[in-house]
Amino acid sequence: MLAGRRSHTADFHLWSRAPPLSSSTPVSSSRHLALTKGFSFAPSTLRADKKKLRRTAKERFPHASDANIDEILPPKADIAVAKYTNRVHVYVIEGGLPMLFDIDGRGTEIYPTVYALWKVPELVPSFLLKGGEVSRYVIGGADLMFPGISIPPEGLRSFLSGQPWAVKVPGNPAPIAVGATTMSSSEALKAGLRGKALRITHYYRDYLWQSAEGHYIPNAGFLEDVVMEDPNLLSVSQPSDESLDASNDEDHVNTAESDHVDISNIHASTDTDAPMNLDVTDQISKEMTADVSGLKVSDNVTAEEPTDEKEHQTLSVEEVDALLDKCLLQALHTTVKDLPMPGSTLWSNHVLPCRPSGITLDIKKSSHKKLSKWLQSKSSAGLISAKEDKYKKEVMLLGINRGHQEFMTFKPEKRVPENAEQRHDNSVSEGAQTKLQLEVVEVYKPSTHVKSIFSTVGADTGSYYSASDAADIAFRYVEKENLVKPTDKAMVVLDATLCDALYKGTIKKGSTYPTEVHKKDLGSTFLSRMQIHHRVSKGNEVAVRKGAVRPIQIMTERRQGNKKVTRVSGLETFLMDADSLASELQKKFACSTSVAEIPGKKGQHEVLVQGGVIEDLAKHLVDHYGIPKRYIEVLDKTKK
């Protein structure tokens, strides 16, 4: 079901907020239903509307079978429609998730949601991206360009303009977005496979995805800002260019924060060209140009380095287990820094890059079979602290036991494996060096609750610690005081000092304090009792401030004479000089700029730019200053 929610974070699409809901109507209902907060449905028997919707879906998705249509529109289920002021209609299954949406409300341009595509991946044809890293831009709101598409040896299947197509990443069968083709296959070939291929109407993490009650992710490859290969699939090496067949995989439910709505207003055009086979070899250009004010992405970034099949080696179960442990230890010593960390991130960004060249590392060929069981076994052995997140349904790495015998005896290789994020940064042509210099990290400072723990182990109580280092202090105290329960090595017995550090002031009167805690909970509980800070570093300049990171705010408003002005504030958080930025923007946008101190906030300034340049300015901060999108808030007051 849909729940209205408004958000204003960095998204360079036309809609930076949720579309207003105008009305809600049942397509077919036999009892009272609730679709959105504040809206409900009265009993109705509009069976004809339901049949019409099924007929439209069959016409719109000609590749789908009757069974496929039944999966997304169950014959006996009640279906409701939410109508928005921008004419978008969203069709929701009773007690379930949105399955279809109509972008103009006329019943002619119906598209499946990602929830429908996760149920039936073959519902519509799909384009395969050249690498998982390219998905950052698709789920960031950019349209799909032909240079970013992986062309199979036999060529793309034929298509017409205005047809619904999905988007997938290599090694992951679950689509990440859906949209309308902008030209036919024959026109694409004449254009040299350049230009826009798919106008995205809906994608993973947009408002439509996150507004559904019970929103989830189909597998562990779906991360917060990128979609990579599913770590539970058989192969983790570079996939072929052929389209992946959809397969039923284990669901890893993950309730995540959202970015934004994006259901663009698309007008399909009629194409009279006959279907034809599209066969190309090296006609692909070297850049994927996203339709976001000129944003460009190199197409040579991939989730994994290509692996030569000739170098593939067959390993026994024991050898796979040993290799897993070696790669984990190498990662813990060299690249794992900020904790807590999702298990899927640990696997794709840290463990996999540590494997030897020419070796395919497959968790299913180990004795553990699953990533979660492997991490939990390492946690039970005391090497790491890991716990399954009840909401995300994913194992989280909370801490590293640097005093563990395996960790202390392991000698890491001198080379530092290059992870996927580093490979992506190296592929960005403009502003890449600046982006690599800017680093925003959460750090923790000992509070009065935990200072006694730090003093006991000889740690400085005035220093700042990363999440992993801070959690490690707690485990060092446990080891020093010999608090591991003899009869259960996974439990820690709480002495008076540790009990006060973890729970003093949190237990209600009349309740008893716990006497022991599981190792999986020790690290996260200890972190929650410390003071959170954030450290921003840029070259040799470093600043540490208390509290969470305050984002940059960009706002466009109208002034006298109906003129627009764009205001930017919060620059000091990211070590940016307001005067320098104002001078730079004056040249870039050929307009007047000024700098003023924010009333009531001494030392904080805002830059005023004449004109409505909110999208270009946000893109400039990302490209040239390396400001992460999640730390940019935009608000356009000129749009009604």
Side-chain angles (χ1 to χ4, degrees):
M1 298 184 184
L2 302 179
R5 179 180 174 185
R6 203 168 82 174
S7 177
H8 297 292
T9 54
D11 187 314
F12 308 127
H13 238 273
L14 296 177
W15 292 4
S16 60
R17 66 186 69 183
L21 186 65
S22 63
S23 63
S24 305
T25 310
V27 174
S28 175
S29 175
S30 58
R31 56 184 178 277
H32 184 78
L33 298 175
L35 178 61
T36 60
K37 294 180 180 179
F39 293 89
S40 60
F41 304 96
S44 176
T45 56
L46 303 179
R47 304 295 180 184
D49 291 344
K50 187 176 178 181
K51 292 181 179 179
K52 181 180 178 181
L53 179 62
R54 290 177 60 87
R55 287 196 305 268
T56 303
K58 289 181 179 180
E59 295 173 357
R60 187 67 170 160
F61 316 135
H63 300 283
S65 63
D66 291 341
N68 295 152
I69 301 298
D70 288 343
E71 284 194 62
I72 62 172
L73 299 174
K76 296 184 179 180
D78 291 328
I79 302 174
V81 57
K83 300 178 181 179
Y84 291 89
T85 55
N86 61 352
R87 297 182 180 179
V88 174
H89 291 184
V90 179
Y91 297 91
V92 185
I93 304 300
E94 174 200 7
L97 298 163
M99 290 288 110
L100 301 173
F101 64 94
D102 184 354
I103 64 174
D104 61 2
R106 299 175 182 176
T108 57
E109 292 192 61
I110 288 181
Y111 295 85
T113 65
V114 290
Y115 297 112
L117 292 174
W118 293 344
K119 276 180 170 288
V120 188
E122 66 275 13
L123 190 64
V124 296
S126 60
F127 292 115
L128 185 67
L129 299 180
K130 287 192 173 180
E133 286 296 326
V134 182
S135 67
R136 292 181 186 274
Y137 302 94
V138 176
I139 67 175
D143 290 330
L144 180 62
M145 314 302 286
F146 276 111
I149 298 174
S150 177
I151 309 298
E154 68 275 12
L156 289 173
R157 62 192 301 177
S158 60
F159 53 87
L160 301 177
S161 176
Q163 288 184 336
W165 276 59
V167 182
K168 294 182 180 180
V169 301
N172 200 317
I176 67 171
V178 66
T181 53
T182 61
M183 63 182 76
S184 67
S185 53
S186 59
E187 291 172 332
L189 187 58
K190 292 177 183 178
L193 290 182
R194 299 182 66 89
K196 188 180 300 183
L198 198 68
R199 191 178 300 277
I200 302 298
T201 57
H202 163 53
Y203 52 89
Y204 159 64
R205 295 199 67 81
D206 70 358
Y207 177 80
L208 181 58
W209 172 84
Q210 64 90 18
S211 63
E213 293 184 5
H215 58 270
Y216 70 98
I217 59 174
N219 57 63
F222 280 67
L223 307 179
E224 184 175 350
D225 59 350
V226 69
V227 180
M228 307 298 287
E229 68 273 18
D230 183 0
N232 290 313
L233 290 182
L234 290 178
S235 175
V236 294
S237 60
Q238 177 69 22
S240 66
D241 287 333
E242 295 181 351
S243 298
L244 299 178
D245 292 333
S247 60
N248 293 327
D249 197 19
E250 298 176 7
D251 286 341
H252 295 266
V253 181
N254 179 10
T255 304
E257 293 183 0
S258 66
D259 270 284
H260 299 294
V261 61
D262 176 28
I263 312 175
S264 303
N265 293 323
I266 314 293
H267 298 283
S269 60
T270 304
D271 195 308
T272 57
D273 291 344
M276 61 176 293
N277 290 327
L278 196 60
D279 187 12
V280 297
T281 54
D282 297 327
Q283 299 180 2
I284 308 303
S285 66
K286 298 301 180 181
E287 290 184 329
M288 172 186 177
T289 307
D291 187 22
V292 188
S293 304
L295 182 62
K296 294 186 178 181
V297 187
S298 176
D299 66 357
N300 58 1
V301 287
T302 56
E304 293 296 332
E305 294 295 336
T307 302
D308 192 345
E309 294 181 358
K310 296 181 180 179
E311 297 180 357
H312 176 75
Q313 301 179 18
T314 302
L315 303 178
S316 64
V317 174
E318 294 77 12
E319 290 174 329
V320 173
D321 287 346
L323 183 57
L324 282 173
D325 294 345
K326 179 180 178 181
C327 293
L328 175 62
L329 288 168
Q330 176 73 18
L332 296 180
H333 273 275
T334 58
T335 63
V336 176
K337 302 296 181 184
D338 298 325
L339 299 178
M341 177 185 295
S344 56
T345 302
L346 172 68
W347 173 263
S348 60
N349 291 356
H350 300 278
V351 175
L352 285 183
C354 289
R355 71 188 190 277
S357 177
I359 297 296
T360 298
L361 189 58
D362 184 6
I363 192 70
K364 287 191 174 182
K365 293 183 180 179
S366 70
S367 60
H368 308 283
K369 303 300 182 184
K370 294 182 180 179
L371 178 63
S372 58
K373 290 185 177 180
W374 176 52
L375 293 178
Q376 288 170 351
S377 69
K378 296 291 108 178
S379 179
S380 300
L383 175 62
I384 59 175
S385 173
K387 180 182 179 181
E388 182 177 0
D389 191 302
K390 295 180 180 180
Y391 297 97
K392 296 183 178 180
K393 299 297 182 181
E394 181 177 7
V395 175
M396 304 290 293
L397 175 63
L398 304 178
I400 305 170
N401 183 6
R402 303 184 187 277
H404 193 274
Q405 184 178 2
E406 288 187 42
F407 187 90
M408 297 177 65
T409 56
F410 181 78
K411 301 299 181 182
E413 298 179 8
K414 293 184 180 180
R415 67 177 183 88
V416 178
E418 183 182 28
N419 57 35
E421 183 176 355
Q422 291 171 330
R423 289 197 299 271
H424 164 64
D425 286 339
N426 292 335
S427 70
V428 180
S429 58
E430 187 176 3
Q433 295 180 352
T434 304
K435 294 182 72 174
L436 289 175
Q437 291 176 355
L438 182 68
E439 183 180 17
V440 183
V441 181
E442 286 188 348
V443 293
Y444 297 82
K445 187 176 182 180
S447 63
T448 54
H449 300 295
V450 300
K451 281 186 177 180
S452 58
I453 302 296
F454 280 78
S455 300
T456 303
V457 299
D460 186 3
T461 58
S463 299
Y464 298 95
Y465 297 84
S466 66
S468 59
D469 291 338
D472 188 50
I473 297 295
F475 285 99
R476 284 169 56 186
Y477 178 84
V478 170
E479 184 179 2
K480 180 179 178 64
E481 300 298 324
N482 195 23
L483 298 180
V484 177
K485 191 174 183 179
T487 57
D488 187 356
K489 298 295 183 181
M491 301 300 296
V492 174
V493 179
L494 298 177
D495 61 5
T497 303
L498 185 57
C499 185
D500 286 345
L502 297 180
Y503 300 109
K504 187 177 181 179
T506 63
I507 304 299
K508 295 181 180 179
K509 292 184 178 180
S511 301
T512 58
Y513 280 80
T515 57
E516 57 185 30
V517 63
H518 201 286
K519 284 183 178 179
K520 297 178 180 179
D521 301 324
L522 178 59
S524 58
T525 306
F526 190 74
L527 284 176
S528 68
R529 303 285 282 177
M530 298 182 66
Q531 296 176 349
I532 186 172
H533 292 66
H534 64 276
R535 181 178 66 234
V536 181
S537 59
K538 187 177 182 181
N540 297 326
E541 191 176 1
V542 180
V544 179
R545 299 182 179 90
K546 188 176 181 179
V549 180
R550 295 181 179 179
I552 290 177
Q553 296 181 333
I554 307 176
M555 180 175 64
T556 297
E557 57 187 7
R558 295 186 186 275
R559 292 196 170 181
Q560 292 181 351
N562 202 28
K563 294 182 179 180
K564 293 183 180 180
V565 62
T566 302
R567 303 165 60 179
V568 190
S569 60
L571 303 173
E572 292 80 6
T573 300
F574 299 92
L575 309 178
M576 296 175 61
D577 181 69
D579 291 317
S580 299
L581 179 64
S583 177
E584 182 180 332
L585 296 179
Q586 182 180 12
K587 297 177 183 178
K588 179 177 178 62
F589 299 126
C591 63
S592 62
T593 60
S594 61
V595 178
E597 187 173 30
I598 301 177
K601 297 183 179 180
K602 187 177 180 179
Q604 298 186 32
H605 298 79
E606 67 175 0
V607 177
L608 282 75
V609 182
Q610 296 299 321
V613 294
I614 187 169
E615 294 181 0
D616 293 333
L617 179 51
K619 178 182 177 296
H620 181 74
L621 294 178
V622 173
D623 290 348
H624 292 269
Y625 289 92
I627 308 298
K629 283 188 178 183
R630 63 182 179 276
Y631 294 136
I632 300 178
E633 291 183 352
V634 297
L635 175 61
D636 192 347
K637 288 188 174 182
T638 65
K639 294 183 178 180
K640 296 181 180 181

